[in-house]
Amino acid sequence: MVQELMVAVVAAASVGAVYVVAAAKVVKQYERGVVLRLGRLRNDVRGPGFTMVLPGIERLHKVNMQIVTMPVPAQDGITRDNVTVRVDAVIYFKVVDAASAVVEVEDYQFAVSQMAQTSLRSIIGKSDLDDLLSNREKLNQGLELMIDSPAVGWGVQIDRVEIKDVSLPETMKRSMARQAEADRERRARVINADAELQASKKLAEAAKEMSSQPAALQLRLLQTVVAVAAEKNSTLVLPFPVELLRFLERAQQPVSTQEQAQLQPQPQQQQPEQQQSQQPEQSPPVTPAPAPAPTPAGPTRVTRPKPLARH
């Protein structure tokens, strides 16, 4: 009898130990426990630490409250300016309402992932290529709002969304590279032209100052010679004044006839006055008398014309 009693006590203790082990649950610091009793949600959410549930009657669901980092698969899309791109992103979210995350949605992580993919494709279609490349902060905010709106009902809070990479076709990459190179070359030419303009103004001012002092030009020439001779060169280049070459060129050119006529004195202006003074002193022209016809017989008689009287 005593032996049977001892066996019953041991059996009861074993059953009690098994029950306690089955009912005992430990909730970690970063978790929250949602209890369903006979399939019905209990209002009390178990906090971190040791807790007990009724085996077979209650069921404990542990929900991770940490921030989850989820990569969004790369999505192919066409931008508003008809450029095919491939964009991938990363999303950071956490559960703020453990009961809603268990009851309102079957798998909140899968739901957030699908919502992020559809929102990313929508953002690609609404944006230009320049916005995807340079204005990512605005796109990240818009993408966060699109995902956070339905996620609030699931007890999930979207912390932030970041676009990681934008992949372009090879043809588009080459076109953008040529455009960037042309832009850099244009800016380089503009800067070079501006530098030449400023340098020409300074040189004009320097030439104006040197023209008033001829010795300054000679000193500048000597400084150039010193600068060239500072290097150990076997050849010394001396600048030759261009004005001297121009002077020699003008000296070798022949004087044109027009310039000679301009250089010679002009006596023609005095001829009309001389002609007017000498005109009354000249005699009228003398007309010779017609010669007589020869006679057929006899000696020929020559008659001399009488001189005409002068008026």
Side-chain angles (χ1 to χ4, degrees):
M1 188 69 183
V2 177
Q3 186 176 1
E4 294 177 357
L5 184 59
M6 291 294 296
V7 171
V9 172
V10 171
S14 300
V15 172
V18 172
Y19 182 83
V20 171
V21 171
K25 299 295 181 180
V26 176
V27 180
K28 297 180 182 179
Q29 181 66 37
Y30 54 85
E31 294 178 341
R32 296 295 182 269
V34 179
V35 179
L36 295 176
R37 177 177 294 178
L38 297 176
R40 191 170 184 176
L41 178 66
R42 293 292 302 273
N43 294 329
D44 55 336
V45 177
R46 308 294 174 87
F50 181 80
T51 185
M52 296 289 292
V53 294
L54 299 176
I57 299 176
E58 294 180 348
R59 187 175 179 181
L60 181 67
H61 293 273
K62 297 179 180 180
V63 181
N64 191 343
M65 306 297 289
Q66 291 178 320
I67 295 177
V68 180
T69 303
M70 178 181 294
V72 181
Q75 302 296 316
D76 295 328
I78 300 176
T79 60
R80 190 167 57 182
D81 50 355
N82 298 326
V83 179
T84 303
V85 294
R86 187 179 180 88
V87 183
D88 57 349
V90 59
I91 182 172
Y92 302 89
F93 66 94
K94 64 180 179 180
V95 177
V96 293
D97 189 356
S100 298
V102 174
V103 176
E104 299 296 336
V105 63
E106 180 181 2
D107 187 353
Y108 66 90
Q109 293 189 1
F110 180 75
V112 171
S113 176
Q114 295 300 314
M115 180 58 66
Q117 295 180 29
T118 56
S119 300
L120 183 58
R121 285 195 295 268
S122 178
I123 285 292
I124 293 173
K126 295 179 181 179
S127 305
D128 295 332
L129 180 60
D130 294 337
D131 295 336
L132 290 175
L133 296 177
S134 60
N135 197 10
R136 292 190 180 182
E137 295 182 359
K138 184 178 179 181
L139 296 179
N140 293 337
Q141 294 177 1
L143 189 59
E144 181 180 348
L145 291 176
M146 294 178 66
I147 301 174
D148 189 62
S149 297
V152 172
W154 304 336
V156 178
Q157 179 183 354
I158 305 300
D159 189 62
R160 62 185 305 176
V161 181
E162 295 288 342
I163 296 176
K164 291 198 302 183
D165 188 21
V166 179
S167 300
L168 300 175
E170 293 297 329
T171 56
M172 182 59 64
K173 290 181 181 179
R174 289 194 293 267
S175 300
M176 294 179 66
R178 289 195 298 269
Q179 179 183 0
E181 184 179 359
D183 189 20
R184 288 193 296 268
E185 185 177 358
R186 178 186 62 84
R187 285 184 292 177
R189 289 185 177 181
V190 170
I191 293 174
N192 190 16
D194 191 11
E196 291 292 338
L197 178 60
Q198 295 179 6
S200 62
K201 291 181 180 179
K202 294 299 181 182
L203 288 175
E205 294 178 1
K208 184 178 180 181
E209 293 294 332
M210 289 183 180
S211 61
S212 60
Q213 298 292 335
L217 182 61
Q218 187 67 21
L219 292 176
R220 182 59 182 166
L221 177 61
L222 294 177
Q223 290 178 0
T224 305
V225 173
V226 171
V228 174
E231 301 291 337
K232 296 182 180 179
N233 299 326
S234 59
T235 304
L236 182 61
V237 179
L238 293 177
F240 196 78
V242 182
E243 289 76 7
L244 183 59
L245 293 176
R246 293 177 181 176
F247 175 76
L248 295 176
E249 183 179 359
R250 288 195 300 268
Q252 292 178 0
Q253 290 180 356
V255 182
S256 61
T257 56
Q258 185 177 1
E259 293 178 354
Q260 289 180 0
Q262 293 178 357
L263 295 175
Q264 290 180 357
Q266 299 179 359
Q268 297 178 359
Q269 298 178 357
Q270 300 177 0
Q271 289 181 2
E273 298 177 357
Q274 294 178 0
Q275 291 178 1
Q276 292 177 3
S277 60
Q278 294 177 2
Q279 186 173 2
E281 297 178 359
Q282 292 180 357
S283 60
V286 178
T287 57
T295 57
T300 304
R301 185 177 180 181
V302 179
T303 60
R304 296 180 178 178
K306 295 181 180 181
L308 300 176
R310 295 182 179 180
H311 296 282

